[in-house]
PDB file of all heavy atoms in Angstrom:
ATOM      1  N   PRO A1023     112.566 125.522  38.864  1.00  0.00           N
ATOM      2  CA  PRO A1023     112.851 124.256  38.174  1.00  0.00           C
ATOM      3  C   PRO A1023     114.030 123.544  38.845  1.00  0.00           C
ATOM      4  O   PRO A1023     115.021 124.167  39.217  1.00  0.00           O
ATOM      5  CB  PRO A1023     113.190 124.690  36.749  1.00  0.00           C
ATOM      6  CG  PRO A1023     112.538 126.024  36.591  1.00  0.00           C
ATOM      7  CD  PRO A1023     112.623 126.675  37.945  1.00  0.00           C
ATOM      8  N   LEU A1024     113.904 122.236  38.990  1.00  0.00           N
ATOM      9  CA  LEU A1024     114.928 121.453  39.697  1.00  0.00           C
ATOM     10  C   LEU A1024     116.051 121.050  38.757  1.00  0.00           C
ATOM     11  O   LEU A1024     115.828 120.325  37.779  1.00  0.00           O
ATOM     12  CB  LEU A1024     114.288 120.216  40.314  1.00  0.00           C
ATOM     13  CG  LEU A1024     115.214 119.296  41.104  1.00  0.00           C
ATOM     14  CD1 LEU A1024     115.798 120.022  42.315  1.00  0.00           C
ATOM     15  CD2 LEU A1024     114.478 118.037  41.541  1.00  0.00           C
ATOM     16  N   ASN A1025     117.261 121.522  39.047  1.00  0.00           N
ATOM     17  CA  ASN A1025     118.454 121.141  38.301  1.00  0.00           C
ATOM     18  C   ASN A1025     119.510 120.645  39.278  1.00  0.00           C
ATOM     19  O   ASN A1025     119.953 121.390  40.164  1.00  0.00           O
ATOM     20  CB  ASN A1025     118.990 122.325  37.503  1.00  0.00           C
ATOM     21  CG  ASN A1025     118.157 122.608  36.265  1.00  0.00           C
ATOM     22  OD1 ASN A1025     118.357 121.993  35.223  1.00  0.00           O
ATOM     23  ND2 ASN A1025     117.202 123.525  36.385  1.00  0.00           N
ATOM     24  N   VAL A1026     119.884 119.387  39.132  1.00  0.00           N
ATOM     25  CA  VAL A1026     120.784 118.720  40.070  1.00  0.00           C
ATOM     26  C   VAL A1026     122.002 118.180  39.317  1.00  0.00           C
ATOM     27  O   VAL A1026     121.859 117.603  38.229  1.00  0.00           O
ATOM     28  CB  VAL A1026     120.066 117.562  40.797  1.00  0.00           C
ATOM     29  CG1 VAL A1026     121.031 116.795  41.686  1.00  0.00           C
ATOM     30  CG2 VAL A1026     118.896 118.098  41.614  1.00  0.00           C
ATOM     31  N   TYR A1027     123.185 118.356  39.908  1.00  0.00           N
ATOM     32  CA  TYR A1027     124.437 117.901  39.302  1.00  0.00           C
ATOM     33  C   TYR A1027     125.230 117.054  40.300  1.00  0.00           C
ATOM     34  O   TYR A1027     125.133 117.245  41.517  1.00  0.00           O
ATOM     35  CB  TYR A1027     125.322 119.091  38.915  1.00  0.00           C
ATOM     36  CG  TYR A1027     124.709 120.065  37.956  1.00  0.00           C
ATOM     37  CD1 TYR A1027     123.814 121.040  38.391  1.00  0.00           C
ATOM     38  CD2 TYR A1027     125.040 120.045  36.598  1.00  0.00           C
ATOM     39  CE1 TYR A1027     123.261 121.953  37.515  1.00  0.00           C
ATOM     40  CE2 TYR A1027     124.485 120.962  35.712  1.00  0.00           C
ATOM     41  CZ  TYR A1027     123.595 121.914  36.178  1.00  0.00           C
ATOM     42  OH  TYR A1027     123.049 122.828  35.311  1.00  0.00           O
ATOM     43  N   SER A1028     126.022 116.170  39.767  1.00  0.00           N
ATOM     44  CA  SER A1028     127.107 115.550  40.525  1.00  0.00           C
ATOM     45  C   SER A1028     128.378 116.266  40.102  1.00  0.00           C
ATOM     46  O   SER A1028     128.791 116.170  38.944  1.00  0.00           O
ATOM     47  CB  SER A1028     127.216 114.052  40.210  1.00  0.00           C
ATOM     48  OG  SER A1028     128.406 113.514  40.769  1.00  0.00           O
ATOM     49  N   ASN A1029     128.976 117.003  41.026  1.00  0.00           N
ATOM     50  CA  ASN A1029     130.111 117.855  40.679  1.00  0.00           C
ATOM     51  C   ASN A1029     131.365 117.394  41.419  1.00  0.00           C
ATOM     52  O   ASN A1029     131.531 117.652  42.605  1.00  0.00           O
ATOM     53  CB  ASN A1029     129.806 119.310  41.028  1.00  0.00           C
ATOM     54  CG  ASN A1029     130.822 120.275  40.447  1.00  0.00           C
ATOM     55  OD1 ASN A1029     131.902 119.869  40.011  1.00  0.00           O
ATOM     56  ND2 ASN A1029     130.498 121.556  40.438  1.00  0.00           N
ATOM     57  N   ALA A1030     132.233 116.698  40.698  1.00  0.00           N
ATOM     58  CA  ALA A1030     133.504 116.258  41.277  1.00  0.00           C
ATOM     59  C   ALA A1030     134.618 117.247  40.973  1.00  0.00           C
ATOM     60  O   ALA A1030     135.779 116.986  41.286  1.00  0.00           O
ATOM     61  CB  ALA A1030     133.874 114.880  40.741  1.00  0.00           C
ATOM     62  N   LEU A1031     134.266 118.388  40.359  1.00  0.00           N
ATOM     63  CA  LEU A1031     135.256 119.396  39.989  1.00  0.00           C
ATOM     64  C   LEU A1031     135.194 120.630  40.884  1.00  0.00           C
ATOM     65  O   LEU A1031     135.993 121.549  40.716  1.00  0.00           O
ATOM     66  CB  LEU A1031     135.025 119.846  38.534  1.00  0.00           C
ATOM     67  CG  LEU A1031     135.118 118.760  37.457  1.00  0.00           C
ATOM     68  CD1 LEU A1031     134.634 119.320  36.125  1.00  0.00           C
ATOM     69  CD2 LEU A1031     136.541 118.242  37.335  1.00  0.00           C
ATOM     70  N   LEU A1032     134.262 120.652  41.824  1.00  0.00           N
ATOM     71  CA  LEU A1032     134.047 121.833  42.662  1.00  0.00           C
ATOM     72  C   LEU A1032     135.263 122.091  43.539  1.00  0.00           C
ATOM     73  O   LEU A1032     135.667 121.228  44.322  1.00  0.00           O
ATOM     74  CB  LEU A1032     132.813 121.628  43.534  1.00  0.00           C
ATOM     75  CG  LEU A1032     132.335 122.835  44.341  1.00  0.00           C
ATOM     76  CD1 LEU A1032     131.801 123.908  43.398  1.00  0.00           C
ATOM     77  CD2 LEU A1032     131.254 122.409  45.331  1.00  0.00           C
ATOM     78  N   PRO A1033     135.879 123.271  43.433  1.00  0.00           N
ATOM     79  CA  PRO A1033     137.048 123.570  44.270  1.00  0.00           C
ATOM     80  C   PRO A1033     136.719 123.472  45.752  1.00  0.00           C
ATOM     81  O   PRO A1033     135.710 124.002  46.207  1.00  0.00           O
ATOM     82  CB  PRO A1033     137.396 125.017  43.875  1.00  0.00           C
ATOM     83  CG  PRO A1033     136.848 125.178  42.494  1.00  0.00           C
ATOM     84  CD  PRO A1033     135.582 124.371  42.481  1.00  0.00           C
ATOM     85  N   TRP A1034     137.519 122.758  46.477  1.00  0.00           N
ATOM     86  CA  TRP A1034     137.393 122.573  47.921  1.00  0.00           C
ATOM     87  C   TRP A1034     136.148 121.780  48.321  1.00  0.00           C
ATOM     88  O   TRP A1034     135.758 121.765  49.487  1.00  0.00           O
ATOM     89  CB  TRP A1034     137.432 123.920  48.659  1.00  0.00           C
ATOM     90  CG  TRP A1034     138.654 124.719  48.370  1.00  0.00           C
ATOM     91  CD1 TRP A1034     138.757 125.784  47.504  1.00  0.00           C
ATOM     92  CD2 TRP A1034     139.954 124.513  48.893  1.00  0.00           C
ATOM     93  NE1 TRP A1034     140.031 126.261  47.460  1.00  0.00           N
ATOM     94  CE2 TRP A1034     140.804 125.485  48.326  1.00  0.00           C
ATOM     95  CE3 TRP A1034     140.516 123.603  49.791  1.00  0.00           C
ATOM     96  CZ2 TRP A1034     142.156 125.575  48.613  1.00  0.00           C
ATOM     97  CZ3 TRP A1034     141.861 123.696  50.081  1.00  0.00           C
ATOM     98  CH2 TRP A1034     142.659 124.660  49.495  1.00  0.00           C
ATOM     99  N   GLY A1035     135.526 121.121  47.390  1.00  0.00           N
ATOM    100  CA  GLY A1035     134.385 120.275  47.732  1.00  0.00           C
ATOM    101  C   GLY A1035     134.860 118.937  48.277  1.00  0.00           C
ATOM    102  O   GLY A1035     135.785 118.324  47.732  1.00  0.00           O
ATOM    103  N   VAL A1036     134.226 118.465  49.340  1.00  0.00           N
ATOM    104  CA  VAL A1036     134.621 117.179  49.929  1.00  0.00           C
ATOM    105  C   VAL A1036     134.400 116.042  48.940  1.00  0.00           C
ATOM    106  O   VAL A1036     135.119 115.048  48.945  1.00  0.00           O
ATOM    107  CB  VAL A1036     133.834 116.935  51.243  1.00  0.00           C
ATOM    108  CG1 VAL A1036     134.099 115.537  51.789  1.00  0.00           C
ATOM    109  CG2 VAL A1036     134.220 117.978  52.289  1.00  0.00           C
ATOM    110  N   GLY A1037     133.401 116.190  48.065  1.00  0.00           N
ATOM    111  CA  GLY A1037     133.135 115.147  47.076  1.00  0.00           C
ATOM    112  C   GLY A1037     133.956 115.256  45.810  1.00  0.00           C
ATOM    113  O   GLY A1037     133.759 114.483  44.873  1.00  0.00           O
ATOM    114  N   SER A1038     134.878 116.199  45.759  1.00  0.00           N
ATOM    115  CA  SER A1038     135.694 116.371  44.559  1.00  0.00           C
ATOM    116  C   SER A1038     136.852 115.370  44.510  1.00  0.00           C
ATOM    117  O   SER A1038     137.374 114.962  45.541  1.00  0.00           O
ATOM    118  CB  SER A1038     136.244 117.799  44.499  1.00  0.00           C
ATOM    119  OG  SER A1038     135.196 118.741  44.379  1.00  0.00           O
ATOM    120  N   TYR A1039     137.220 114.978  43.302  1.00  0.00           N
ATOM    121  CA  TYR A1039     138.346 114.057  43.117  1.00  0.00           C
ATOM    122  C   TYR A1039     138.839 114.193  41.679  1.00  0.00           C
ATOM    123  O   TYR A1039     138.150 114.765  40.824  1.00  0.00           O
ATOM    124  CB  TYR A1039     137.923 112.608  43.400  1.00  0.00           C
ATOM    125  CG  TYR A1039     136.763 112.122  42.572  1.00  0.00           C
ATOM    126  CD1 TYR A1039     136.955 111.604  41.292  1.00  0.00           C
ATOM    127  CD2 TYR A1039     135.459 112.173  43.066  1.00  0.00           C
ATOM    128  CE1 TYR A1039     135.899 111.157  40.529  1.00  0.00           C
ATOM    129  CE2 TYR A1039     134.386 111.735  42.305  1.00  0.00           C
ATOM    130  CZ  TYR A1039     134.611 111.225  41.041  1.00  0.00           C
ATOM    131  OH  TYR A1039     133.551 110.789  40.275  1.00  0.00           O
ATOM    132  N   LYS A1040     140.027 113.686  41.419  1.00  0.00           N
ATOM    133  CA  LYS A1040     140.563 113.692  40.053  1.00  0.00           C
ATOM    134  C   LYS A1040     140.223 112.395  39.328  1.00  0.00           C
ATOM    135  O   LYS A1040     139.824 112.404  38.169  1.00  0.00           O
ATOM    136  CB  LYS A1040     142.076 113.912  40.089  1.00  0.00           C
ATOM    137  CG  LYS A1040     142.487 115.293  40.577  1.00  0.00           C
ATOM    138  CD  LYS A1040     144.001 115.472  40.512  1.00  0.00           C
ATOM    139  CE  LYS A1040     144.409 116.868  40.962  1.00  0.00           C
ATOM    140  NZ  LYS A1040     145.883 117.064  40.908  1.00  0.00           N
ATOM    141  N   VAL A1041     140.409 111.288  40.042  1.00  0.00           N
ATOM    142  CA  VAL A1041     140.109 109.969  39.480  1.00  0.00           C
ATOM    143  C   VAL A1041     139.450 109.143  40.579  1.00  0.00           C
ATOM    144  O   VAL A1041     139.929 109.128  41.714  1.00  0.00           O
ATOM    145  CB  VAL A1041     141.394 109.263  38.992  1.00  0.00           C
ATOM    146  CG1 VAL A1041     141.049 107.900  38.394  1.00  0.00           C
ATOM    147  CG2 VAL A1041     142.122 110.107  37.964  1.00  0.00           C
ATOM    148  N   ASP A1042     138.340 108.452  40.260  1.00  0.00           N
ATOM    149  CA  ASP A1042     137.677 107.656  41.301  1.00  0.00           C
ATOM    150  C   ASP A1042     138.380 106.316  41.460  1.00  0.00           C
ATOM    151  O   ASP A1042     139.322 105.997  40.703  1.00  0.00           O
ATOM    152  CB  ASP A1042     136.185 107.512  40.985  1.00  0.00           C
ATOM    153  CG  ASP A1042     135.880 106.414  39.979  1.00  0.00           C
ATOM    154  OD1 ASP A1042     136.811 105.860  39.347  1.00  0.00           O
ATOM    155  OD2 ASP A1042     134.689 106.099  39.805  1.00  0.00           O
ATOM    156  N   PRO A1043     138.003 105.488  42.456  1.00  0.00           N
ATOM    157  CA  PRO A1043     138.713 104.220  42.703  1.00  0.00           C
ATOM    158  C   PRO A1043     138.745 103.265  41.519  1.00  0.00           C
ATOM    159  O   PRO A1043     139.603 102.376  41.455  1.00  0.00           O
ATOM    160  CB  PRO A1043     137.932 103.618  43.876  1.00  0.00           C
ATOM    161  CG  PRO A1043     137.370 104.795  44.600  1.00  0.00           C
ATOM    162  CD  PRO A1043     137.015 105.763  43.522  1.00  0.00           C
ATOM    163  N   SER A1044     137.812 103.416  40.567  1.00  0.00           N
ATOM    164  CA  SER A1044     137.796 102.533  39.395  1.00  0.00           C
ATOM    165  C   SER A1044     138.577 103.100  38.220  1.00  0.00           C
ATOM    166  O   SER A1044     138.637 102.488  37.157  1.00  0.00           O
ATOM    167  CB  SER A1044     136.345 102.276  38.957  1.00  0.00           C
ATOM    168  OG  SER A1044     135.608 101.648  39.988  1.00  0.00           O
TER     169      SER A1044
END
Side-chain angles (χ1 to χ4, degrees):
L1024 181 63
N1025 284 276
V1026 175
Y1027 302 80
S1028 170
N1029 191 345
L1031 300 170
L1032 188 68
W1034 304 101
V1036 173
S1038 296
Y1039 57 85
K1040 293 183 178 180
V1041 181
D1042 82 350
S1044 299

